[in-house]
mmCIF file of all heavy atoms in Angstrom:
data_model
loop_
_atom_site.group_PDB
_atom_site.id
_atom_site.type_symbol
_atom_site.label_atom_id
_atom_site.label_comp_id
_atom_site.label_asym_id
_atom_site.label_seq_id
_atom_site.Cartn_x
_atom_site.Cartn_y
_atom_site.Cartn_z
ATOM 1 N N SER A 562 2.873 12.709 -2.079
ATOM 2 C CA SER A 562 4.252 13.306 -2.533
ATOM 3 C C SER A 562 4.653 14.161 -1.427
ATOM 4 O O SER A 562 3.997 14.642 -0.624
ATOM 5 C CB SER A 562 3.979 13.918 -3.835
ATOM 6 O OG SER A 562 3.189 14.961 -3.766
ATOM 7 N N GLY A 563 5.915 14.522 -1.579
ATOM 8 C CA GLY A 563 6.594 15.406 -0.712
ATOM 9 C C GLY A 563 8.006 15.842 -1.202
ATOM 10 O O GLY A 563 8.432 15.458 -2.299
ATOM 11 N N ALA A 564 8.553 16.716 -0.381
ATOM 12 C CA ALA A 564 10.022 17.200 -0.671
ATOM 13 C C ALA A 564 10.914 16.745 0.530
ATOM 14 O O ALA A 564 10.512 16.979 1.705
ATOM 15 C CB ALA A 564 10.034 18.530 -1.079
ATOM 16 N N ILE A 565 12.003 16.196 0.203
ATOM 17 C CA ILE A 565 12.974 15.849 1.353
ATOM 18 C C ILE A 565 14.191 16.736 0.945
ATOM 19 O O ILE A 565 14.801 16.652 -0.072
ATOM 20 C CB ILE A 565 13.273 14.385 1.357
ATOM 21 C CG1 ILE A 565 11.866 13.652 1.532
ATOM 22 C CG2 ILE A 565 14.334 13.982 2.284
ATOM 23 C CD1 ILE A 565 11.970 12.057 1.483
ATOM 24 N N GLU A 566 14.644 17.453 2.019
ATOM 25 C CA GLU A 566 15.927 18.093 1.898
ATOM 26 C C GLU A 566 17.138 17.277 2.085
ATOM 27 O O GLU A 566 17.926 17.403 2.922
ATOM 28 C CB GLU A 566 15.895 19.293 2.793
ATOM 29 C CG GLU A 566 14.841 20.298 2.622
ATOM 30 C CD GLU A 566 14.867 20.950 1.183
ATOM 31 O OE1 GLU A 566 15.954 21.220 0.707
ATOM 32 O OE2 GLU A 566 13.691 21.083 0.515
ATOM 33 N N ALA A 567 17.426 16.426 1.120
ATOM 34 C CA ALA A 567 18.526 15.474 1.037
ATOM 35 C C ALA A 567 18.619 15.073 -0.366
ATOM 36 O O ALA A 567 17.696 15.015 -1.093
ATOM 37 C CB ALA A 567 18.261 14.242 1.993
ATOM 38 N N PRO A 568 19.900 14.634 -0.729
ATOM 39 C CA PRO A 568 20.234 14.200 -2.113
ATOM 40 C C PRO A 568 19.368 12.947 -2.404
ATOM 41 O O PRO A 568 19.038 12.157 -1.510
ATOM 42 C CB PRO A 568 21.624 14.006 -2.113
ATOM 43 C CG PRO A 568 22.279 14.326 -0.870
ATOM 44 C CD PRO A 568 21.109 14.649 0.134
ATOM 45 N N ALA A 569 18.974 12.671 -3.679
ATOM 46 C CA ALA A 569 18.233 11.468 -4.064
ATOM 47 C C ALA A 569 18.973 10.256 -3.727
ATOM 48 O O ALA A 569 18.339 9.369 -3.399
ATOM 49 C CB ALA A 569 18.050 11.622 -5.607
ATOM 50 N N ASP A 570 20.198 10.225 -3.834
ATOM 51 C CA ASP A 570 20.993 9.083 -3.412
ATOM 52 C C ASP A 570 20.750 8.587 -2.115
ATOM 53 O O ASP A 570 20.696 7.441 -1.801
ATOM 54 C CB ASP A 570 22.496 9.168 -3.731
ATOM 55 C CG ASP A 570 22.831 9.254 -5.277
ATOM 56 O OD1 ASP A 570 21.943 8.914 -6.040
ATOM 57 O OD2 ASP A 570 23.863 9.816 -5.573
ATOM 58 N N LYS A 571 20.712 9.613 -1.111
ATOM 59 C CA LYS A 571 20.471 9.145 0.277
ATOM 60 C C LYS A 571 19.156 8.700 0.424
ATOM 61 O O LYS A 571 18.898 7.698 1.175
ATOM 62 C CB LYS A 571 20.726 10.418 1.175
ATOM 63 C CG LYS A 571 20.680 10.096 2.614
ATOM 64 C CD LYS A 571 21.080 11.413 3.478
ATOM 65 C CE LYS A 571 21.081 10.973 5.060
ATOM 66 N NZ LYS A 571 21.424 12.130 5.763
ATOM 67 N N VAL A 572 18.122 9.307 -0.168
ATOM 68 C CA VAL A 572 16.687 8.939 0.024
ATOM 69 C C VAL A 572 16.623 7.456 -0.619
ATOM 70 O O VAL A 572 15.980 6.627 -0.098
ATOM 71 C CB VAL A 572 15.773 9.953 -0.742
ATOM 72 C CG1 VAL A 572 14.320 9.308 -0.687
ATOM 73 C CG2 VAL A 572 15.842 11.301 -0.051
ATOM 74 N N TYR A 573 17.240 7.309 -1.706
ATOM 75 C CA TYR A 573 17.223 6.064 -2.462
ATOM 76 C C TYR A 573 17.649 4.926 -1.575
ATOM 77 O O TYR A 573 17.052 3.803 -1.581
ATOM 78 C CB TYR A 573 18.006 6.252 -3.709
ATOM 79 C CG TYR A 573 18.128 5.029 -4.656
ATOM 80 C CD1 TYR A 573 17.156 4.587 -5.399
ATOM 81 C CD2 TYR A 573 19.284 4.255 -4.560
ATOM 82 C CE1 TYR A 573 17.302 3.406 -6.241
ATOM 83 C CE2 TYR A 573 19.504 3.153 -5.261
ATOM 84 C CZ TYR A 573 18.494 2.829 -6.217
ATOM 85 O OH TYR A 573 18.585 1.634 -6.894
ATOM 86 N N THR A 574 18.723 5.166 -0.789
ATOM 87 C CA THR A 574 19.239 4.008 -0.077
ATOM 88 C C THR A 574 18.258 3.572 0.967
ATOM 89 O O THR A 574 18.079 2.345 1.315
ATOM 90 C CB THR A 574 20.515 4.427 0.694
ATOM 91 O OG1 THR A 574 20.309 5.537 1.456
ATOM 92 C CG2 THR A 574 21.645 4.702 -0.219
ATOM 93 N N TYR A 575 17.379 4.549 1.475
ATOM 94 C CA TYR A 575 16.353 4.062 2.417
ATOM 95 C C TYR A 575 15.272 3.273 1.679
ATOM 96 O O TYR A 575 14.487 2.459 2.404
ATOM 97 C CB TYR A 575 15.768 5.337 3.156
ATOM 98 C CG TYR A 575 16.684 5.897 4.157
ATOM 99 C CD1 TYR A 575 17.243 7.029 4.082
ATOM 100 C CD2 TYR A 575 16.956 5.192 5.444
ATOM 101 C CE1 TYR A 575 18.090 7.602 4.962
ATOM 102 C CE2 TYR A 575 17.671 5.864 6.453
ATOM 103 C CZ TYR A 575 18.270 6.890 6.204
ATOM 104 O OH TYR A 575 19.012 7.468 7.144
ATOM 105 N N LEU A 576 15.032 3.542 0.468
ATOM 106 C CA LEU A 576 13.907 2.973 -0.272
ATOM 107 C C LEU A 576 14.432 1.541 -0.824
ATOM 108 O O LEU A 576 13.497 0.658 -0.809
ATOM 109 C CB LEU A 576 13.583 3.722 -1.444
ATOM 110 C CG LEU A 576 13.058 5.087 -1.070
ATOM 111 C CD1 LEU A 576 12.722 5.850 -2.448
ATOM 112 C CD2 LEU A 576 11.784 5.108 -0.249
ATOM 113 N N THR A 577 15.606 1.302 -1.059
ATOM 114 C CA THR A 577 15.987 0.043 -1.552
ATOM 115 C C THR A 577 16.539 -0.969 -0.584
ATOM 116 O O THR A 577 16.693 -2.103 -0.821
ATOM 117 C CB THR A 577 17.182 0.148 -2.601
ATOM 118 O OG1 THR A 577 18.195 0.899 -2.034
ATOM 119 C CG2 THR A 577 16.650 0.931 -3.739
ATOM 120 N N ASP A 578 16.823 -0.581 0.649
ATOM 121 C CA ASP A 578 17.302 -1.475 1.678
ATOM 122 C C ASP A 578 16.126 -1.776 2.629
ATOM 123 O O ASP A 578 15.664 -0.922 3.508
ATOM 124 C CB ASP A 578 18.439 -0.715 2.595
ATOM 125 C CG ASP A 578 19.003 -1.660 3.649
ATOM 126 O OD1 ASP A 578 18.520 -2.792 3.791
ATOM 127 O OD2 ASP A 578 19.935 -1.268 4.222
ATOM 128 N N LEU A 579 15.539 -2.915 2.498
ATOM 129 C CA LEU A 579 14.352 -3.413 3.250
ATOM 130 C C LEU A 579 14.630 -3.379 4.691
ATOM 131 O O LEU A 579 13.679 -3.277 5.496
ATOM 132 C CB LEU A 579 13.951 -4.695 2.759
ATOM 133 C CG LEU A 579 13.397 -4.872 1.374
ATOM 134 C CD1 LEU A 579 12.916 -6.268 1.062
ATOM 135 C CD2 LEU A 579 12.243 -3.822 1.140
ATOM 136 N N LYS A 580 15.866 -3.601 5.227
ATOM 137 C CA LYS A 580 16.002 -3.556 6.575
ATOM 138 C C LYS A 580 15.933 -2.066 7.268
ATOM 139 O O LYS A 580 15.768 -2.009 8.421
ATOM 140 C CB LYS A 580 17.364 -4.134 6.912
ATOM 141 C CG LYS A 580 17.517 -5.695 6.687
ATOM 142 C CD LYS A 580 18.736 -6.327 7.229
ATOM 143 C CE LYS A 580 18.680 -7.753 7.077
ATOM 144 N NZ LYS A 580 19.764 -8.451 7.692
ATOM 145 N N THR A 581 15.979 -1.155 6.521
ATOM 146 C CA THR A 581 15.740 0.187 6.894
ATOM 147 C C THR A 581 14.201 0.543 7.054
ATOM 148 O O THR A 581 13.764 1.546 7.590
ATOM 149 C CB THR A 581 16.424 1.393 6.116
ATOM 150 O OG1 THR A 581 15.995 1.357 4.816
ATOM 151 C CG2 THR A 581 17.814 1.035 6.061
ATOM 152 N N TRP A 582 13.391 -0.204 6.301
ATOM 153 C CA TRP A 582 12.034 0.089 6.267
ATOM 154 C C TRP A 582 11.333 0.115 7.666
ATOM 155 O O TRP A 582 10.313 0.842 7.970
ATOM 156 C CB TRP A 582 11.279 -0.843 5.355
ATOM 157 C CG TRP A 582 11.404 -0.588 3.930
ATOM 158 C CD1 TRP A 582 12.468 0.007 3.295
ATOM 159 C CD2 TRP A 582 10.565 -0.934 2.825
ATOM 160 N NE1 TRP A 582 12.228 0.038 1.900
ATOM 161 C CE2 TRP A 582 11.179 -0.560 1.545
ATOM 162 C CE3 TRP A 582 9.358 -1.671 2.830
ATOM 163 C CZ2 TRP A 582 10.530 -0.782 0.371
ATOM 164 C CZ3 TRP A 582 8.754 -1.898 1.638
ATOM 165 C CH2 TRP A 582 9.330 -1.490 0.261
ATOM 166 N N LYS A 583 11.824 -0.703 8.480
ATOM 167 C CA LYS A 583 11.204 -0.659 9.909
ATOM 168 C C LYS A 583 11.378 0.617 10.663
ATOM 169 O O LYS A 583 10.707 0.959 11.572
ATOM 170 C CB LYS A 583 11.796 -1.746 10.710
ATOM 171 C CG LYS A 583 13.268 -1.534 11.144
ATOM 172 C CD LYS A 583 13.852 -2.834 11.811
ATOM 173 C CE LYS A 583 15.323 -2.647 12.072
ATOM 174 N NZ LYS A 583 15.928 -3.809 12.631
ATOM 175 N N ASN A 584 12.292 1.520 10.131
ATOM 176 C CA ASN A 584 12.427 2.813 10.704
ATOM 177 C C ASN A 584 11.593 3.907 10.134
ATOM 178 O O ASN A 584 11.409 4.988 10.802
ATOM 179 C CB ASN A 584 13.897 3.274 10.495
ATOM 180 C CG ASN A 584 14.881 2.274 11.249
ATOM 181 O OD1 ASN A 584 14.568 1.836 12.291
ATOM 182 N ND2 ASN A 584 15.943 2.015 10.492
ATOM 183 N N TRP A 585 10.938 3.656 9.071
ATOM 184 C CA TRP A 585 10.053 4.666 8.465
ATOM 185 C C TRP A 585 8.792 4.134 7.937
ATOM 186 O O TRP A 585 7.808 5.026 7.809
ATOM 187 C CB TRP A 585 10.953 5.610 7.381
ATOM 188 C CG TRP A 585 11.312 4.669 6.267
ATOM 189 C CD1 TRP A 585 12.431 4.046 6.052
ATOM 190 C CD2 TRP A 585 10.493 4.580 5.113
ATOM 191 N NE1 TRP A 585 12.338 3.336 4.924
ATOM 192 C CE2 TRP A 585 11.264 3.655 4.226
ATOM 193 C CE3 TRP A 585 9.302 5.075 4.641
ATOM 194 C CZ2 TRP A 585 10.793 3.247 2.925
ATOM 195 C CZ3 TRP A 585 8.791 4.584 3.412
ATOM 196 C CH2 TRP A 585 9.497 3.770 2.564
ATOM 197 N N ASN A 586 8.722 2.993 7.233
ATOM 198 C CA ASN A 586 7.532 2.548 6.613
ATOM 199 C C ASN A 586 6.486 2.015 7.552
ATOM 200 O O ASN A 586 6.667 0.982 8.180
ATOM 201 C CB ASN A 586 7.883 1.454 5.568
ATOM 202 C CG ASN A 586 6.841 1.051 4.727
ATOM 203 O OD1 ASN A 586 5.639 1.100 5.061
ATOM 204 N ND2 ASN A 586 7.130 0.628 3.519
ATOM 205 N N PRO A 587 5.388 2.645 7.648
ATOM 206 C CA PRO A 587 4.302 2.310 8.640
ATOM 207 C C PRO A 587 3.625 0.893 8.368
ATOM 208 O O PRO A 587 3.016 0.326 9.289
ATOM 209 C CB PRO A 587 3.294 3.307 8.520
ATOM 210 C CG PRO A 587 3.433 3.931 7.283
ATOM 211 C CD PRO A 587 4.890 3.848 6.925
ATOM 212 N N TRP A 588 3.818 0.360 7.210
ATOM 213 C CA TRP A 588 3.352 -0.965 6.844
ATOM 214 C C TRP A 588 4.362 -2.086 7.111
ATOM 215 O O TRP A 588 4.023 -3.264 6.857
ATOM 216 C CB TRP A 588 2.717 -1.028 5.482
ATOM 217 C CG TRP A 588 1.476 -0.335 5.408
ATOM 218 C CD1 TRP A 588 0.367 -0.601 5.913
ATOM 219 C CD2 TRP A 588 1.264 1.082 4.818
ATOM 220 N NE1 TRP A 588 -0.646 0.447 5.775
ATOM 221 C CE2 TRP A 588 -0.037 1.514 4.997
ATOM 222 C CE3 TRP A 588 2.099 1.890 3.904
ATOM 223 C CZ2 TRP A 588 -0.607 2.490 4.437
ATOM 224 C CZ3 TRP A 588 1.643 3.006 3.481
ATOM 225 C CH2 TRP A 588 0.166 3.327 3.668
ATOM 226 N N HIS A 589 5.525 -1.768 7.553
ATOM 227 C CA HIS A 589 6.548 -2.709 7.825
ATOM 228 C C HIS A 589 6.099 -3.350 9.186
ATOM 229 O O HIS A 589 5.746 -2.620 10.208
ATOM 230 C CB HIS A 589 7.864 -2.130 7.865
ATOM 231 C CG HIS A 589 9.004 -3.213 7.996
ATOM 232 N ND1 HIS A 589 9.214 -3.869 9.206
ATOM 233 C CD2 HIS A 589 9.890 -3.678 7.216
ATOM 234 C CE1 HIS A 589 10.212 -4.706 9.004
ATOM 235 N NE2 HIS A 589 10.664 -4.714 7.843
ATOM 236 N N PRO A 590 6.098 -4.691 9.286
ATOM 237 C CA PRO A 590 5.544 -5.318 10.524
ATOM 238 C C PRO A 590 6.265 -4.859 11.801
ATOM 239 O O PRO A 590 5.713 -4.879 12.892
ATOM 240 C CB PRO A 590 5.796 -6.818 10.298
ATOM 241 C CG PRO A 590 5.829 -6.954 8.777
ATOM 242 C CD PRO A 590 6.403 -5.628 8.272
ATOM 243 N N GLU A 591 7.584 -4.569 11.647
ATOM 244 C CA GLU A 591 8.370 -4.182 12.842
ATOM 245 C C GLU A 591 8.245 -2.718 13.147
ATOM 246 O O GLU A 591 8.843 -2.304 14.278
ATOM 247 C CB GLU A 591 9.947 -4.562 12.653
ATOM 248 C CG GLU A 591 10.131 -6.024 12.607
ATOM 249 C CD GLU A 591 11.500 -6.444 12.355
ATOM 250 O OE1 GLU A 591 12.191 -5.687 11.590
ATOM 251 O OE2 GLU A 591 11.970 -7.474 12.897
ATOM 252 N N PHE A 592 7.584 -1.885 12.321
ATOM 253 C CA PHE A 592 7.513 -0.492 12.528
ATOM 254 C C PHE A 592 6.797 -0.079 13.863
ATOM 255 O O PHE A 592 7.285 0.604 14.657
ATOM 256 C CB PHE A 592 6.794 0.278 11.420
ATOM 257 C CG PHE A 592 6.652 1.702 11.608
ATOM 258 C CD1 PHE A 592 7.670 2.469 11.316
ATOM 259 C CD2 PHE A 592 5.476 2.225 11.990
ATOM 260 C CE1 PHE A 592 7.454 3.956 11.467
ATOM 261 C CE2 PHE A 592 5.286 3.670 12.105
ATOM 262 C CZ PHE A 592 6.391 4.480 11.886
ATOM 263 N N SER A 593 5.661 -0.836 14.050
ATOM 264 C CA SER A 593 4.809 -0.564 15.300
ATOM 265 C C SER A 593 5.127 -1.530 16.521
ATOM 266 O O SER A 593 4.582 -1.473 17.450
ATOM 267 C CB SER A 593 3.375 -0.745 14.957
ATOM 268 O OG SER A 593 3.018 -1.942 14.372
ATOM 269 N N LEU A 594 6.172 -2.418 16.232
ATOM 270 C CA LEU A 594 6.621 -3.229 17.317
ATOM 271 C C LEU A 594 5.476 -4.077 17.956
ATOM 272 O O LEU A 594 5.327 -4.167 19.113
ATOM 273 C CB LEU A 594 7.395 -2.461 18.452
ATOM 274 C CG LEU A 594 8.658 -1.698 17.952
ATOM 275 C CD1 LEU A 594 9.284 -0.879 19.092
ATOM 276 C CD2 LEU A 594 9.616 -2.778 17.376
ATOM 277 N N LYS A 595 4.710 -4.709 17.036
ATOM 278 C CA LYS A 595 3.561 -5.519 17.476
ATOM 279 C C LYS A 595 4.204 -6.775 18.216
ATOM 280 O O LYS A 595 5.063 -7.424 17.622
ATOM 281 C CB LYS A 595 2.657 -5.921 16.381
ATOM 282 C CG LYS A 595 1.808 -4.759 15.940
ATOM 283 C CD LYS A 595 1.000 -5.164 14.741
ATOM 284 C CE LYS A 595 0.446 -3.960 14.129
ATOM 285 N NZ LYS A 595 -0.370 -4.307 12.925
ATOM 286 N N PRO A 596 3.746 -7.272 19.362
ATOM 287 C CA PRO A 596 4.299 -8.421 19.908
ATOM 288 C C PRO A 596 3.936 -9.739 19.140
ATOM 289 O O PRO A 596 2.970 -9.793 18.515
ATOM 290 C CB PRO A 596 3.678 -8.598 21.270
ATOM 291 C CG PRO A 596 2.520 -7.556 21.216
ATOM 292 C CD PRO A 596 2.612 -6.694 20.091
ATOM 293 N N GLY A 597 5.070 -10.543 19.041
ATOM 294 C CA GLY A 597 4.861 -11.808 18.347
ATOM 295 C C GLY A 597 5.101 -11.737 16.815
ATOM 296 O O GLY A 597 5.011 -12.779 16.106
ATOM 297 N N VAL A 598 5.417 -10.515 16.277
ATOM 298 C CA VAL A 598 5.521 -10.451 14.821
ATOM 299 C C VAL A 598 7.007 -10.562 14.477
ATOM 300 O O VAL A 598 7.948 -9.976 15.171
ATOM 301 C CB VAL A 598 5.115 -9.096 14.383
ATOM 302 C CG1 VAL A 598 5.464 -8.838 12.818
ATOM 303 C CG2 VAL A 598 3.503 -8.973 14.487
ATOM 304 N N SER A 599 7.309 -11.470 13.626
ATOM 305 C CA SER A 599 8.738 -11.614 13.188
ATOM 306 C C SER A 599 8.726 -11.550 11.775
ATOM 307 O O SER A 599 8.010 -11.971 10.938
ATOM 308 C CB SER A 599 9.252 -13.090 13.674
ATOM 309 O OG SER A 599 8.619 -14.029 13.017
ATOM 310 N N VAL A 600 9.798 -10.994 11.283
ATOM 311 C CA VAL A 600 10.122 -10.684 9.851
ATOM 312 C C VAL A 600 11.208 -11.598 9.467
ATOM 313 O O VAL A 600 12.274 -11.726 10.207
ATOM 314 C CB VAL A 600 10.483 -9.217 9.622
ATOM 315 C CG1 VAL A 600 10.828 -9.043 8.221
ATOM 316 C CG2 VAL A 600 9.359 -8.373 9.998
ATOM 317 N N ASN A 601 10.959 -12.363 8.321
ATOM 318 C CA ASN A 601 12.057 -13.172 7.723
ATOM 319 C C ASN A 601 12.464 -12.647 6.411
ATOM 320 O O ASN A 601 11.716 -12.564 5.468
ATOM 321 C CB ASN A 601 11.438 -14.621 7.537
ATOM 322 C CG ASN A 601 11.075 -15.237 8.815
ATOM 323 O OD1 ASN A 601 11.821 -15.265 9.780
ATOM 324 N ND2 ASN A 601 9.897 -15.817 8.808
ATOM 325 N N TYR A 602 13.843 -12.058 6.412
ATOM 326 C CA TYR A 602 14.328 -11.548 5.207
ATOM 327 C C TYR A 602 14.760 -12.528 4.276
ATOM 328 O O TYR A 602 15.255 -13.588 4.653
ATOM 329 C CB TYR A 602 15.384 -10.453 5.543
ATOM 330 C CG TYR A 602 14.886 -9.256 6.280
ATOM 331 C CD1 TYR A 602 14.929 -9.204 7.633
ATOM 332 C CD2 TYR A 602 14.378 -8.291 5.647
ATOM 333 C CE1 TYR A 602 14.478 -8.084 8.300
ATOM 334 C CE2 TYR A 602 13.893 -7.050 6.285
ATOM 335 C CZ TYR A 602 13.947 -6.976 7.641
ATOM 336 O OH TYR A 602 13.434 -5.905 8.279
ATOM 337 N N GLY A 603 14.620 -12.247 2.968
ATOM 338 C CA GLY A 603 15.165 -13.181 1.988
ATOM 339 C C GLY A 603 16.712 -13.070 1.895
ATOM 340 O O GLY A 603 17.203 -12.294 2.661
ATOM 341 N N PRO A 604 17.360 -13.900 0.955
ATOM 342 C CA PRO A 604 18.739 -13.845 0.930
ATOM 343 C C PRO A 604 19.232 -12.516 0.433
ATOM 344 O O PRO A 604 20.400 -12.144 0.697
ATOM 345 C CB PRO A 604 19.030 -14.954 -0.219
ATOM 346 C CG PRO A 604 17.847 -15.253 -0.711
ATOM 347 C CD PRO A 604 16.619 -14.825 0.104
ATOM 348 N N VAL A 605 18.425 -11.742 -0.286
ATOM 349 C CA VAL A 605 18.792 -10.438 -0.744
ATOM 350 C C VAL A 605 17.898 -9.472 -0.072
ATOM 351 O O VAL A 605 16.678 -9.639 0.022
ATOM 352 C CB VAL A 605 18.607 -10.172 -2.313
ATOM 353 C CG1 VAL A 605 18.879 -8.900 -2.764
ATOM 354 C CG2 VAL A 605 19.406 -11.358 -3.097
ATOM 355 N N THR A 606 18.509 -8.383 0.601
ATOM 356 C CA THR A 606 17.685 -7.389 1.420
ATOM 357 C C THR A 606 17.732 -5.957 0.631
ATOM 358 O O THR A 606 17.194 -5.134 1.238
ATOM 359 C CB THR A 606 18.189 -7.397 2.774
ATOM 360 O OG1 THR A 606 19.454 -7.069 2.969
ATOM 361 C CG2 THR A 606 17.886 -8.697 3.463
ATOM 362 N N THR A 607 18.610 -5.828 -0.319
ATOM 363 C CA THR A 607 18.767 -4.483 -0.863
ATOM 364 C C THR A 607 18.678 -4.656 -2.387
ATOM 365 O O THR A 607 19.221 -5.523 -3.044
ATOM 366 C CB THR A 607 20.162 -3.957 -0.611
ATOM 367 O OG1 THR A 607 20.438 -3.965 0.861
ATOM 368 C CG2 THR A 607 20.399 -2.435 -1.090
ATOM 369 N N GLY A 608 17.964 -3.671 -2.989
ATOM 370 C CA GLY A 608 17.759 -3.641 -4.438
ATOM 371 C C GLY A 608 16.737 -4.570 -4.987
ATOM 372 O O GLY A 608 16.008 -5.279 -4.344
#
Side-chain angles (χ1 to χ4, degrees):
S562 61
I565 299 174
E566 295 302 319
D570 291 341
K571 186 174 183 183
V572 176
Y573 176 77
T574 59
Y575 285 108
L576 301 178
T577 58
D578 184 354
L579 294 181
K580 289 191 174 183
T581 66
W582 282 25
K583 66 183 175 189
N584 299 320
W585 65 268
N586 189 328
W588 288 291
H589 189 283
E591 293 177 325
F592 179 81
S593 58
L594 300 175
K595 293 178 184 170
V598 172
S599 64
V600 175
N601 298 310
Y602 291 95
V605 177
T606 61
T607 303

